mmCIF file with all atom_site columns, all heavy atoms in Angstrom:
data_model
loop_
_atom_site.group_PDB
_atom_site.id
_atom_site.type_symbol
_atom_site.label_atom_id
_atom_site.label_alt_id
_atom_site.label_comp_id
_atom_site.label_asym_id
_atom_site.label_entity_id
_atom_site.label_seq_id
_atom_site.pdbx_PDB_ins_code
_atom_site.Cartn_x
_atom_site.Cartn_y
_atom_site.Cartn_z
_atom_site.occupancy
_atom_site.B_iso_or_equiv
_atom_site.pdbx_formal_charge
_atom_site.auth_seq_id
_atom_site.auth_comp_id
_atom_site.auth_asym_id
_atom_site.auth_atom_id
_atom_site.pdbx_PDB_model_num
ATOM 1   N N   . ILE D 1 1  ? 2.266   14.160  -0.211  1.00 0.00 ? 1  ILE D N   1
ATOM 2   C CA  . ILE D 1 1  ? 0.808   13.973  -0.218  1.00 0.00 ? 1  ILE D CA  1
ATOM 3   C C   . ILE D 1 1  ? 0.388   13.216  -1.460  1.00 0.00 ? 1  ILE D C   1
ATOM 4   O O   . ILE D 1 1  ? -0.433  12.287  -1.394  1.00 0.00 ? 1  ILE D O   1
ATOM 5   C CB  . ILE D 1 1  ? 0.104   15.346  -0.144  1.00 0.00 ? 1  ILE D CB  1
ATOM 6   C CG1 . ILE D 1 1  ? 0.393   16.013  1.204   1.00 0.00 ? 1  ILE D CG1 1
ATOM 7   C CG2 . ILE D 1 1  ? -1.400  15.196  -0.354  1.00 0.00 ? 1  ILE D CG2 1
ATOM 8   C CD1 . ILE D 1 1  ? -0.169  17.414  1.334   1.00 0.00 ? 1  ILE D CD1 1
ATOM 9   N N   . GLU D 1 2  ? 0.968   13.584  -2.609  1.00 0.00 ? 2  GLU D N   1
ATOM 10  C CA  . GLU D 1 2  ? 0.613   12.911  -3.856  1.00 0.00 ? 2  GLU D CA  1
ATOM 11  C C   . GLU D 1 2  ? 1.028   11.440  -3.818  1.00 0.00 ? 2  GLU D C   1
ATOM 12  O O   . GLU D 1 2  ? 0.299   10.558  -4.270  1.00 0.00 ? 2  GLU D O   1
ATOM 13  C CB  . GLU D 1 2  ? 1.296   13.627  -5.023  1.00 0.00 ? 2  GLU D CB  1
ATOM 14  C CG  . GLU D 1 2  ? 0.955   13.026  -6.380  1.00 0.00 ? 2  GLU D CG  1
ATOM 15  C CD  . GLU D 1 2  ? 1.655   13.755  -7.509  1.00 0.00 ? 2  GLU D CD  1
ATOM 16  O OE1 . GLU D 1 2  ? 2.313   14.790  -7.239  1.00 0.00 ? 2  GLU D OE1 1
ATOM 17  O OE2 . GLU D 1 2  ? 1.555   13.297  -8.663  1.00 0.00 ? 2  GLU D OE2 1
ATOM 18  N N   . LYS D 1 3  ? 2.174   11.174  -3.252  1.00 0.00 ? 3  LYS D N   1
ATOM 19  C CA  . LYS D 1 3  ? 2.677   9.798   -3.230  1.00 0.00 ? 3  LYS D CA  1
ATOM 20  C C   . LYS D 1 3  ? 1.872   8.896   -2.301  1.00 0.00 ? 3  LYS D C   1
ATOM 21  O O   . LYS D 1 3  ? 1.457   7.806   -2.695  1.00 0.00 ? 3  LYS D O   1
ATOM 22  C CB  . LYS D 1 3  ? 4.152   9.803   -2.797  1.00 0.00 ? 3  LYS D CB  1
ATOM 23  C CG  . LYS D 1 3  ? 4.746   8.409   -2.632  1.00 0.00 ? 3  LYS D CG  1
ATOM 24  C CD  . LYS D 1 3  ? 6.199   8.474   -2.203  1.00 0.00 ? 3  LYS D CD  1
ATOM 25  C CE  . LYS D 1 3  ? 6.772   7.072   -2.015  1.00 0.00 ? 3  LYS D CE  1
ATOM 26  N NZ  . LYS D 1 3  ? 8.192   7.104   -1.618  1.00 0.00 ? 3  LYS D NZ  1
ATOM 27  N N   . PHE D 1 4  ? 1.652   9.373   -1.089  1.00 0.00 ? 4  PHE D N   1
ATOM 28  C CA  . PHE D 1 4  ? 1.041   8.487   -0.092  1.00 0.00 ? 4  PHE D CA  1
ATOM 29  C C   . PHE D 1 4  ? -0.477  8.553   -0.061  1.00 0.00 ? 4  PHE D C   1
ATOM 30  O O   . PHE D 1 4  ? -1.103  7.847   0.714   1.00 0.00 ? 4  PHE D O   1
ATOM 31  C CB  . PHE D 1 4  ? 1.606   8.801   1.295   1.00 0.00 ? 4  PHE D CB  1
ATOM 32  C CG  . PHE D 1 4  ? 3.016   8.335   1.466   1.00 0.00 ? 4  PHE D CG  1
ATOM 33  C CD1 . PHE D 1 4  ? 4.081   9.208   1.310   1.00 0.00 ? 4  PHE D CD1 1
ATOM 34  C CD2 . PHE D 1 4  ? 3.282   7.009   1.739   1.00 0.00 ? 4  PHE D CD2 1
ATOM 35  C CE1 . PHE D 1 4  ? 5.383   8.779   1.444   1.00 0.00 ? 4  PHE D CE1 1
ATOM 36  C CE2 . PHE D 1 4  ? 4.584   6.567   1.888   1.00 0.00 ? 4  PHE D CE2 1
ATOM 37  C CZ  . PHE D 1 4  ? 5.641   7.449   1.738   1.00 0.00 ? 4  PHE D CZ  1
ATOM 38  N N   . ASN D 1 5  ? -1.086  9.390   -0.887  1.00 0.00 ? 5  ASN D N   1
ATOM 39  C CA  . ASN D 1 5  ? -2.540  9.360   -1.023  1.00 0.00 ? 5  ASN D CA  1
ATOM 40  C C   . ASN D 1 5  ? -2.960  8.648   -2.303  1.00 0.00 ? 5  ASN D C   1
ATOM 41  O O   . ASN D 1 5  ? -4.144  8.597   -2.623  1.00 0.00 ? 5  ASN D O   1
ATOM 42  C CB  . ASN D 1 5  ? -3.110  10.785  -1.010  1.00 0.00 ? 5  ASN D CB  1
ATOM 43  C CG  . ASN D 1 5  ? -3.162  11.355  0.388   1.00 0.00 ? 5  ASN D CG  1
ATOM 44  O OD1 . ASN D 1 5  ? -4.121  11.145  1.125   1.00 0.00 ? 5  ASN D OD1 1
ATOM 45  N ND2 . ASN D 1 5  ? -2.100  12.059  0.770   1.00 0.00 ? 5  ASN D ND2 1
ATOM 46  N N   . ASN D 1 6  ? -1.992  8.122   -3.048  1.00 0.00 ? 6  ASN D N   1
ATOM 47  C CA  . ASN D 1 6  ? -2.277  7.291   -4.202  1.00 0.00 ? 6  ASN D CA  1
ATOM 48  C C   . ASN D 1 6  ? -2.359  5.852   -3.729  1.00 0.00 ? 6  ASN D C   1
ATOM 49  O O   . ASN D 1 6  ? -1.372  5.267   -3.291  1.00 0.00 ? 6  ASN D O   1
ATOM 50  C CB  . ASN D 1 6  ? -1.161  7.462   -5.250  1.00 0.00 ? 6  ASN D CB  1
ATOM 51  C CG  . ASN D 1 6  ? -1.484  6.742   -6.548  1.00 0.00 ? 6  ASN D CG  1
ATOM 52  O OD1 . ASN D 1 6  ? -1.972  5.614   -6.538  1.00 0.00 ? 6  ASN D OD1 1
ATOM 53  N ND2 . ASN D 1 6  ? -1.177  7.396   -7.662  1.00 0.00 ? 6  ASN D ND2 1
ATOM 54  N N   . SER D 1 7  ? -3.526  5.245   -3.802  1.00 0.00 ? 7  SER D N   1
ATOM 55  C CA  . SER D 1 7  ? -3.740  3.912   -3.218  1.00 0.00 ? 7  SER D CA  1
ATOM 56  C C   . SER D 1 7  ? -2.868  2.861   -3.870  1.00 0.00 ? 7  SER D C   1
ATOM 57  O O   . SER D 1 7  ? -2.350  1.963   -3.214  1.00 0.00 ? 7  SER D O   1
ATOM 58  C CB  . SER D 1 7  ? -5.220  3.520   -3.334  1.00 0.00 ? 7  SER D CB  1
ATOM 59  O OG  . SER D 1 7  ? -5.622  3.517   -4.690  1.00 0.00 ? 7  SER D OG  1
ATOM 60  N N   . GLU D 1 8  ? -2.648  2.951   -5.210  1.00 0.00 ? 8  GLU D N   1
ATOM 61  C CA  . GLU D 1 8  ? -1.860  1.925   -5.878  1.00 0.00 ? 8  GLU D CA  1
ATOM 62  C C   . GLU D 1 8  ? -0.396  1.996   -5.451  1.00 0.00 ? 8  GLU D C   1
ATOM 63  O O   . GLU D 1 8  ? 0.223   0.988   -5.139  1.00 0.00 ? 8  GLU D O   1
ATOM 64  C CB  . GLU D 1 8  ? -1.980  2.090   -7.382  1.00 0.00 ? 8  GLU D CB  1
ATOM 65  C CG  . GLU D 1 8  ? -3.402  1.834   -7.898  1.00 0.00 ? 8  GLU D CG  1
ATOM 66  C CD  . GLU D 1 8  ? -3.479  1.987   -9.403  1.00 0.00 ? 8  GLU D CD  1
ATOM 67  O OE1 . GLU D 1 8  ? -2.436  2.294   -10.009 1.00 0.00 ? 8  GLU D OE1 1
ATOM 68  O OE2 . GLU D 1 8  ? -4.570  1.791   -9.952  1.00 0.00 ? 8  GLU D OE2 1
ATOM 69  N N   . VAL D 1 9  ? 0.149   3.210   -5.406  1.00 0.00 ? 9  VAL D N   1
ATOM 70  C CA  . VAL D 1 9  ? 1.548   3.380   -4.981  1.00 0.00 ? 9  VAL D CA  1
ATOM 71  C C   . VAL D 1 9  ? 1.710   2.958   -3.535  1.00 0.00 ? 9  VAL D C   1
ATOM 72  O O   . VAL D 1 9  ? 2.667   2.291   -3.157  1.00 0.00 ? 9  VAL D O   1
ATOM 73  C CB  . VAL D 1 9  ? 1.983   4.851   -5.174  1.00 0.00 ? 9  VAL D CB  1
ATOM 74  C CG1 . VAL D 1 9  ? 3.378   5.070   -4.604  1.00 0.00 ? 9  VAL D CG1 1
ATOM 75  C CG2 . VAL D 1 9  ? 1.966   5.209   -6.651  1.00 0.00 ? 9  VAL D CG2 1
ATOM 76  N N   . ASP D 1 10 ? 0.710   3.335   -2.705  1.00 0.00 ? 10 ASP D N   1
ATOM 77  C CA  . ASP D 1 10 ? 0.773   3.012   -1.281  1.00 0.00 ? 10 ASP D CA  1
ATOM 78  C C   . ASP D 1 10 ? 0.751   1.508   -1.073  1.00 0.00 ? 10 ASP D C   1
ATOM 79  O O   . ASP D 1 10 ? 1.505   0.957   -0.291  1.00 0.00 ? 10 ASP D O   1
ATOM 80  C CB  . ASP D 1 10 ? -0.411  3.666   -0.560  1.00 0.00 ? 10 ASP D CB  1
ATOM 81  C CG  . ASP D 1 10 ? -0.298  3.521   0.939   1.00 0.00 ? 10 ASP D CG  1
ATOM 82  O OD1 . ASP D 1 10 ? 0.819   3.661   1.454   1.00 0.00 ? 10 ASP D OD1 1
ATOM 83  O OD2 . ASP D 1 10 ? -1.331  3.263   1.579   1.00 0.00 ? 10 ASP D OD2 1
ATOM 84  N N   . THR D 1 11 ? -0.123  0.821   -1.817  1.00 0.00 ? 11 THR D N   1
ATOM 85  C CA  . THR D 1 11 ? -0.224  -0.632  -1.677  1.00 0.00 ? 11 THR D CA  1
ATOM 86  C C   . THR D 1 11 ? 1.067   -1.307  -2.130  1.00 0.00 ? 11 THR D C   1
ATOM 87  O O   . THR D 1 11 ? 1.586   -2.213  -1.476  1.00 0.00 ? 11 THR D O   1
ATOM 88  C CB  . THR D 1 11 ? -1.411  -1.147  -2.509  1.00 0.00 ? 11 THR D CB  1
ATOM 89  O OG1 . THR D 1 11 ? -2.592  -0.513  -2.056  1.00 0.00 ? 11 THR D OG1 1
ATOM 90  C CG2 . THR D 1 11 ? -1.552  -2.650  -2.360  1.00 0.00 ? 11 THR D CG2 1
ATOM 91  N N   . GLU D 1 12 ? 1.618   -0.828  -3.268  1.00 0.00 ? 12 GLU D N   1
ATOM 92  C CA  . GLU D 1 12 ? 2.862   -1.406  -3.771  1.00 0.00 ? 12 GLU D CA  1
ATOM 93  C C   . GLU D 1 12 ? 4.000   -1.207  -2.788  1.00 0.00 ? 12 GLU D C   1
ATOM 94  O O   . GLU D 1 12 ? 4.787   -2.110  -2.542  1.00 0.00 ? 12 GLU D O   1
ATOM 95  C CB  . GLU D 1 12 ? 3.192   -0.757  -5.116  1.00 0.00 ? 12 GLU D CB  1
ATOM 96  C CG  . GLU D 1 12 ? 4.449   -1.332  -5.759  1.00 0.00 ? 12 GLU D CG  1
ATOM 97  C CD  . GLU D 1 12 ? 4.752   -0.658  -7.081  1.00 0.00 ? 12 GLU D CD  1
ATOM 98  O OE1 . GLU D 1 12 ? 3.919   0.175   -7.508  1.00 0.00 ? 12 GLU D OE1 1
ATOM 99  O OE2 . GLU D 1 12 ? 5.806   -0.944  -7.667  1.00 0.00 ? 12 GLU D OE2 1
ATOM 100 N N   . TYR D 1 13 ? 4.024   -0.034  -2.154  1.00 0.00 ? 13 TYR D N   1
ATOM 101 C CA  . TYR D 1 13 ? 5.083   0.244   -1.187  1.00 0.00 ? 13 TYR D CA  1
ATOM 102 C C   . TYR D 1 13 ? 4.960   -0.671  0.022   1.00 0.00 ? 13 TYR D C   1
ATOM 103 O O   . TYR D 1 13 ? 5.950   -1.212  0.513   1.00 0.00 ? 13 TYR D O   1
ATOM 104 C CB  . TYR D 1 13 ? 5.022   1.712   -0.752  1.00 0.00 ? 13 TYR D CB  1
ATOM 105 C CG  . TYR D 1 13 ? 5.946   1.980   0.409   1.00 0.00 ? 13 TYR D CG  1
ATOM 106 C CD1 . TYR D 1 13 ? 7.311   2.112   0.213   1.00 0.00 ? 13 TYR D CD1 1
ATOM 107 C CD2 . TYR D 1 13 ? 5.448   2.045   1.712   1.00 0.00 ? 13 TYR D CD2 1
ATOM 108 C CE1 . TYR D 1 13 ? 8.162   2.317   1.268   1.00 0.00 ? 13 TYR D CE1 1
ATOM 109 C CE2 . TYR D 1 13 ? 6.290   2.247   2.772   1.00 0.00 ? 13 TYR D CE2 1
ATOM 110 C CZ  . TYR D 1 13 ? 7.651   2.389   2.549   1.00 0.00 ? 13 TYR D CZ  1
ATOM 111 O OH  . TYR D 1 13 ? 8.483   2.582   3.596   1.00 0.00 ? 13 TYR D OH  1
ATOM 112 N N   . GLN D 1 14 ? 3.719   -0.859  0.481   1.00 0.00 ? 14 GLN D N   1
ATOM 113 C CA  . GLN D 1 14 ? 3.531   -1.694  1.658   1.00 0.00 ? 14 GLN D CA  1
ATOM 114 C C   . GLN D 1 14 ? 3.988   -3.121  1.389   1.00 0.00 ? 14 GLN D C   1
ATOM 115 O O   . GLN D 1 14 ? 4.587   -3.775  2.235   1.00 0.00 ? 14 GLN D O   1
ATOM 116 C CB  . GLN D 1 14 ? 2.045   -1.687  2.072   1.00 0.00 ? 14 GLN D CB  1
ATOM 117 C CG  . GLN D 1 14 ? 1.521   -0.341  2.536   1.00 0.00 ? 14 GLN D CG  1
ATOM 118 C CD  . GLN D 1 14 ? 2.099   0.050   3.870   1.00 0.00 ? 14 GLN D CD  1
ATOM 119 O OE1 . GLN D 1 14 ? 2.843   -0.714  4.475   1.00 0.00 ? 14 GLN D OE1 1
ATOM 120 N NE2 . GLN D 1 14 ? 1.807   1.260   4.316   1.00 0.00 ? 14 GLN D NE2 1
ATOM 121 N N   . GLN D 1 15 ? 3.705   -3.602  0.157   1.00 0.00 ? 15 GLN D N   1
ATOM 122 C CA  . GLN D 1 15 ? 4.120   -4.966  -0.174  1.00 0.00 ? 15 GLN D CA  1
ATOM 123 C C   . GLN D 1 15 ? 5.647   -5.062  -0.262  1.00 0.00 ? 15 GLN D C   1
ATOM 124 O O   . GLN D 1 15 ? 6.245   -6.027  0.205   1.00 0.00 ? 15 GLN D O   1
ATOM 125 C CB  . GLN D 1 15 ? 3.486   -5.378  -1.497  1.00 0.00 ? 15 GLN D CB  1
ATOM 126 C CG  . GLN D 1 15 ? 1.958   -5.561  -1.377  1.00 0.00 ? 15 GLN D CG  1
ATOM 127 C CD  . GLN D 1 15 ? 1.322   -5.825  -2.726  1.00 0.00 ? 15 GLN D CD  1
ATOM 128 O OE1 . GLN D 1 15 ? 1.763   -5.297  -3.731  1.00 0.00 ? 15 GLN D OE1 1
ATOM 129 N NE2 . GLN D 1 15 ? 0.292   -6.646  -2.746  1.00 0.00 ? 15 GLN D NE2 1
ATOM 130 N N   . ASP D 1 16 ? 6.258   -4.061  -0.866  1.00 0.00 ? 16 ASP D N   1
ATOM 131 C CA  . ASP D 1 16 ? 7.727   -4.083  -0.969  1.00 0.00 ? 16 ASP D CA  1
ATOM 132 C C   . ASP D 1 16 ? 8.379   -4.004  0.397   1.00 0.00 ? 16 ASP D C   1
ATOM 133 O O   . ASP D 1 16 ? 9.439   -4.566  0.624   1.00 0.00 ? 16 ASP D O   1
ATOM 134 C CB  . ASP D 1 16 ? 8.197   -2.900  -1.840  1.00 0.00 ? 16 ASP D CB  1
ATOM 135 C CG  . ASP D 1 16 ? 7.768   -3.078  -3.295  1.00 0.00 ? 16 ASP D CG  1
ATOM 136 O OD1 . ASP D 1 16 ? 7.440   -4.232  -3.659  1.00 0.00 ? 16 ASP D OD1 1
ATOM 137 O OD2 . ASP D 1 16 ? 7.745   -2.071  -4.028  1.00 0.00 ? 16 ASP D OD2 1
ATOM 138 N N   . GLY D 1 17 ? 7.735   -3.279  1.317   1.00 0.00 ? 17 GLY D N   1
ATOM 139 C CA  . GLY D 1 17 ? 8.303   -3.119  2.646   1.00 0.00 ? 17 GLY D CA  1
ATOM 140 C C   . GLY D 1 17 ? 8.122   -4.343  3.507   1.00 0.00 ? 17 GLY D C   1
ATOM 141 O O   . GLY D 1 17 ? 8.622   -4.399  4.623   1.00 0.00 ? 17 GLY D O   1
ATOM 142 N N   . GLY D 1 18 ? 7.380   -5.327  3.008   1.00 0.00 ? 18 GLY D N   1
ATOM 143 C CA  . GLY D 1 18 ? 7.187   -6.548  3.789   1.00 0.00 ? 18 GLY D CA  1
ATOM 144 C C   . GLY D 1 18 ? 6.254   -6.377  4.958   1.00 0.00 ? 18 GLY D C   1
ATOM 145 O O   . GLY D 1 18 ? 6.289   -7.172  5.893   1.00 0.00 ? 18 GLY D O   1
ATOM 146 N N   . ASN D 1 19 ? 5.412   -5.344  4.926   1.00 0.00 ? 19 ASN D N   1
ATOM 147 C CA  . ASN D 1 19 ? 4.494   -5.113  6.043   1.00 0.00 ? 19 ASN D CA  1
ATOM 148 C C   . ASN D 1 19 ? 3.223   -5.912  5.795   1.00 0.00 ? 19 ASN D C   1
ATOM 149 O O   . ASN D 1 19 ? 2.299   -5.474  5.125   1.00 0.00 ? 19 ASN D O   1
ATOM 150 C CB  . ASN D 1 19 ? 4.168   -3.613  6.150   1.00 0.00 ? 19 ASN D CB  1
ATOM 151 C CG  . ASN D 1 19 ? 3.438   -3.302  7.428   1.00 0.00 ? 19 ASN D CG  1
ATOM 152 O OD1 . ASN D 1 19 ? 2.802   -4.162  8.019   1.00 0.00 ? 19 ASN D OD1 1
ATOM 153 N ND2 . ASN D 1 19 ? 3.537   -2.046  7.850   1.00 0.00 ? 19 ASN D ND2 1
ATOM 154 N N   . GLU D 1 20 ? 3.188   -7.108  6.305   1.00 0.00 ? 20 GLU D N   1
ATOM 155 C CA  . GLU D 1 20 ? 2.074   -8.015  6.039   1.00 0.00 ? 20 GLU D CA  1
ATOM 156 C C   . GLU D 1 20 ? 0.755   -7.477  6.572   1.00 0.00 ? 20 GLU D C   1
ATOM 157 O O   . GLU D 1 20 ? -0.286  -7.560  5.919   1.00 0.00 ? 20 GLU D O   1
ATOM 158 C CB  . GLU D 1 20 ? 2.382   -9.382  6.671   1.00 0.00 ? 20 GLU D CB  1
ATOM 159 C CG  . GLU D 1 20 ? 1.285   -10.412 6.430   1.00 0.00 ? 20 GLU D CG  1
ATOM 160 C CD  . GLU D 1 20 ? 1.616   -11.720 7.115   1.00 0.00 ? 20 GLU D CD  1
ATOM 161 O OE1 . GLU D 1 20 ? 2.749   -11.846 7.627   1.00 0.00 ? 20 GLU D OE1 1
ATOM 162 O OE2 . GLU D 1 20 ? 0.741   -12.596 7.148   1.00 0.00 ? 20 GLU D OE2 1
ATOM 163 N N   . GLU D 1 21 ? 0.821   -6.888  7.757   1.00 0.00 ? 21 GLU D N   1
ATOM 164 C CA  . GLU D 1 21 ? -0.402  -6.398  8.378   1.00 0.00 ? 21 GLU D CA  1
ATOM 165 C C   . GLU D 1 21 ? -0.987  -5.239  7.593   1.00 0.00 ? 21 GLU D C   1
ATOM 166 O O   . GLU D 1 21 ? -2.181  -5.178  7.334   1.00 0.00 ? 21 GLU D O   1
ATOM 167 C CB  . GLU D 1 21 ? -0.109  -5.954  9.808   1.00 0.00 ? 21 GLU D CB  1
ATOM 168 C CG  . GLU D 1 21 ? -1.353  -5.671  10.622  1.00 0.00 ? 21 GLU D CG  1
ATOM 169 C CD  . GLU D 1 21 ? -1.005  -5.468  12.073  1.00 0.00 ? 21 GLU D CD  1
ATOM 170 O OE1 . GLU D 1 21 ? 0.036   -5.989  12.500  1.00 0.00 ? 21 GLU D OE1 1
ATOM 171 O OE2 . GLU D 1 21 ? -1.767  -4.798  12.763  1.00 0.00 ? 21 GLU D OE2 1
ATOM 172 N N   . ALA D 1 22 ? -0.140  -4.296  7.146   1.00 0.00 ? 22 ALA D N   1
ATOM 173 C CA  . ALA D 1 22 ? -0.620  -3.164  6.362   1.00 0.00 ? 22 ALA D CA  1
ATOM 174 C C   . ALA D 1 22 ? -1.140  -3.621  5.009   1.00 0.00 ? 22 ALA D C   1
ATOM 175 O O   . ALA D 1 22 ? -2.058  -3.036  4.444   1.00 0.00 ? 22 ALA D O   1
ATOM 176 C CB  . ALA D 1 22 ? 0.491   -2.138  6.178   1.00 0.00 ? 22 ALA D CB  1
ATOM 177 N N   . THR D 1 23 ? -0.534  -4.701  4.437   1.00 0.00 ? 23 THR D N   1
ATOM 178 C CA  . THR D 1 23 ? -0.991  -5.217  3.150   1.00 0.00 ? 23 THR D CA  1
ATOM 179 C C   . THR D 1 23 ? -2.418  -5.735  3.268   1.00 0.00 ? 23 THR D C   1
ATOM 180 O O   . THR D 1 23 ? -3.237  -5.547  2.369   1.00 0.00 ? 23 THR D O   1
ATOM 181 C CB  . THR D 1 23 ? -0.059  -6.355  2.682   1.00 0.00 ? 23 THR D CB  1
ATOM 182 O OG1 . THR D 1 23 ? 1.269   -5.852  2.617   1.00 0.00 ? 23 THR D OG1 1
ATOM 183 C CG2 . THR D 1 23 ? -0.482  -6.871  1.304   1.00 0.00 ? 23 THR D CG2 1
ATOM 184 N N   . ARG D 1 24 ? -2.726  -6.375  4.385   1.00 0.00 ? 24 ARG D N   1
ATOM 185 C CA  . ARG D 1 24 ? -4.090  -6.869  4.568   1.00 0.00 ? 24 ARG D CA  1
ATOM 186 C C   . ARG D 1 24 ? -5.072  -5.715  4.673   1.00 0.00 ? 24 ARG D C   1
ATOM 187 O O   . ARG D 1 24 ? -6.218  -5.812  4.242   1.00 0.00 ? 24 ARG D O   1
ATOM 188 C CB  . ARG D 1 24 ? -4.168  -7.736  5.828   1.00 0.00 ? 24 ARG D CB  1
ATOM 189 C CG  . ARG D 1 24 ? -3.401  -9.034  5.723   1.00 0.00 ? 24 ARG D CG  1
ATOM 190 C CD  . ARG D 1 24 ? -3.875  -10.008 6.789   1.00 0.00 ? 24 ARG D CD  1
ATOM 191 N NE  . ARG D 1 24 ? -3.697  -9.468  8.121   1.00 0.00 ? 24 ARG D NE  1
ATOM 192 C CZ  . ARG D 1 24 ? -2.617  -9.659  8.852   1.00 0.00 ? 24 ARG D CZ  1
ATOM 193 N NH1 . ARG D 1 24 ? -1.596  -10.362 8.364   1.00 0.00 ? 24 ARG D NH1 1
ATOM 194 N NH2 . ARG D 1 24 ? -2.526  -9.149  10.065  1.00 0.00 ? 24 ARG D NH2 1
ATOM 195 N N   . LEU D 1 25 ? -4.636  -4.622  5.280   1.00 0.00 ? 25 LEU D N   1
ATOM 196 C CA  . LEU D 1 25 ? -5.520  -3.470  5.413   1.00 0.00 ? 25 LEU D CA  1
ATOM 197 C C   . LEU D 1 25 ? -5.653  -2.705  4.105   1.00 0.00 ? 25 LEU D C   1
ATOM 198 O O   . LEU D 1 25 ? -6.609  -1.945  3.930   1.00 0.00 ? 25 LEU D O   1
ATOM 199 C CB  . LEU D 1 25 ? -4.980  -2.539  6.507   1.00 0.00 ? 25 LEU D CB  1
ATOM 200 C CG  . LEU D 1 25 ? -4.978  -3.120  7.910   1.00 0.00 ? 25 LEU D CG  1
ATOM 201 C CD1 . LEU D 1 25 ? -4.296  -2.149  8.867   1.00 0.00 ? 25 LEU D CD1 1
ATOM 202 C CD2 . LEU D 1 25 ? -6.397  -3.414  8.380   1.00 0.00 ? 25 LEU D CD2 1
ATOM 203 N N   . ASN D 1 26 ? -4.710  -2.857  3.167   1.00 0.00 ? 26 ASN D N   1
ATOM 204 C CA  . ASN D 1 26 ? -4.747  -2.162  1.883   1.00 0.00 ? 26 ASN D CA  1
ATOM 205 C C   . ASN D 1 26 ? -4.672  -3.199  0.760   1.00 0.00 ? 26 ASN D C   1
ATOM 206 O O   . ASN D 1 26 ? -3.606  -3.437  0.186   1.00 0.00 ? 26 ASN D O   1
ATOM 207 C CB  . ASN D 1 26 ? -3.577  -1.179  1.755   1.00 0.00 ? 26 ASN D CB  1
ATOM 208 C CG  . ASN D 1 26 ? -3.664  -0.067  2.767   1.00 0.00 ? 26 ASN D CG  1
ATOM 209 O OD1 . ASN D 1 26 ? -4.342  0.916   2.562   1.00 0.00 ? 26 ASN D OD1 1
ATOM 210 N ND2 . ASN D 1 26 ? -2.958  -0.248  3.884   1.00 0.00 ? 26 ASN D ND2 1
ATOM 211 N N   . PRO D 1 27 ? -5.743  -3.901  0.435   1.00 0.00 ? 27 PRO D N   1
ATOM 212 C CA  . PRO D 1 27 ? -5.712  -4.972  -0.553  1.00 0.00 ? 27 PRO D CA  1
ATOM 213 C C   . PRO D 1 27 ? -5.338  -4.458  -1.941  1.00 0.00 ? 27 PRO D C   1
ATOM 214 O O   . PRO D 1 27 ? -5.565  -3.301  -2.276  1.00 0.00 ? 27 PRO D O   1
ATOM 215 C CB  . PRO D 1 27 ? -7.147  -5.513  -0.525  1.00 0.00 ? 27 PRO D CB  1
ATOM 216 C CG  . PRO D 1 27 ? -7.970  -4.389  0.006   1.00 0.00 ? 27 PRO D CG  1
ATOM 217 C CD  . PRO D 1 27 ? -7.087  -3.669  0.962   1.00 0.00 ? 27 PRO D CD  1
ATOM 218 N N   . VAL D 1 28 ? -4.759  -5.371  -2.746  1.00 0.00 ? 28 VAL D N   1
ATOM 219 C CA  . VAL D 1 28 ? -4.294  -5.004  -4.079  1.00 0.00 ? 28 VAL D CA  1
ATOM 220 C C   . VAL D 1 28 ? -5.461  -4.704  -5.006  1.00 0.00 ? 28 VAL D C   1
ATOM 221 O O   . VAL D 1 28 ? -5.386  -3.875  -5.899  1.00 0.00 ? 28 VAL D O   1
ATOM 222 C CB  . VAL D 1 28 ? -3.421  -6.145  -4.658  1.00 0.00 ? 28 VAL D CB  1
ATOM 223 C CG1 . VAL D 1 28 ? -2.972  -5.800  -6.076  1.00 0.00 ? 28 VAL D CG1 1
ATOM 224 C CG2 . VAL D 1 28 ? -2.240  -6.412  -3.764  1.00 0.00 ? 28 VAL D CG2 1
ATOM 225 N N   . GLN D 1 29 ? -6.598  -5.391  -4.804  1.00 0.00 ? 29 GLN D N   1
ATOM 226 C CA  . GLN D 1 29 ? -7.725  -5.217  -5.698  1.00 0.00 ? 29 GLN D CA  1
ATOM 227 C C   . GLN D 1 29 ? -8.208  -3.777  -5.682  1.00 0.00 ? 29 GLN D C   1
ATOM 228 O O   . GLN D 1 29 ? -8.282  -3.157  -4.621  1.00 0.00 ? 29 GLN D O   1
ATOM 229 C CB  . GLN D 1 29 ? -8.883  -6.137  -5.283  1.00 0.00 ? 29 GLN D CB  1
ATOM 230 C CG  . GLN D 1 29 ? -8.614  -7.613  -5.475  1.00 0.00 ? 29 GLN D CG  1
ATOM 231 C CD  . GLN D 1 29 ? -7.838  -8.199  -4.320  1.00 0.00 ? 29 GLN D CD  1
ATOM 232 O OE1 . GLN D 1 29 ? -7.484  -7.482  -3.393  1.00 0.00 ? 29 GLN D OE1 1
ATOM 233 N NE2 . GLN D 1 29 ? -7.553  -9.485  -4.398  1.00 0.00 ? 29 GLN D NE2 1
ATOM 234 N N   . PRO D 1 30 ? -8.530  -3.229  -6.866  1.00 0.00 ? 30 PRO D N   1
ATOM 235 C CA  . PRO D 1 30 ? -9.065  -1.867  -6.918  1.00 0.00 ? 30 PRO D CA  1
ATOM 236 C C   . PRO D 1 30 ? -10.430 -1.791  -6.252  1.00 0.00 ? 30 PRO D C   1
ATOM 237 O O   . PRO D 1 30 ? -11.106 -2.807  -6.073  1.00 0.00 ? 30 PRO D O   1
ATOM 238 C CB  . PRO D 1 30 ? -9.164  -1.578  -8.427  1.00 0.00 ? 30 PRO D CB  1
ATOM 239 C CG  . PRO D 1 30 ? -9.268  -2.932  -9.074  1.00 0.00 ? 30 PRO D CG  1
ATOM 240 C CD  . PRO D 1 30 ? -8.440  -3.835  -8.211  1.00 0.00 ? 30 PRO D CD  1
#
């Protein structure tokens, strides 16, 4: 819960995973 409810960690993970669609839904900007 702590890991995947942290927006910064979640966004970084999505980018590392190469999930382009999820990256658009979770922008890097705070």
Side-chain angles (χ1 to χ4, degrees):
I1 294 176
E2 182 180 354
K3 175 180 179 179
F4 287 98
N5 283 274
N6 187 317
S7 59
E8 295 181 0
V9 174
D10 188 40
T11 301
E12 182 181 355
Y13 171 77
Q14 295 290 357
Q15 291 174 325
D16 292 342
N19 190 336
E20 181 182 352
E21 191 170 335
T23 303
R24 292 198 301 268
L25 295 174
N26 295 276
V28 178
Q29 292 83 358

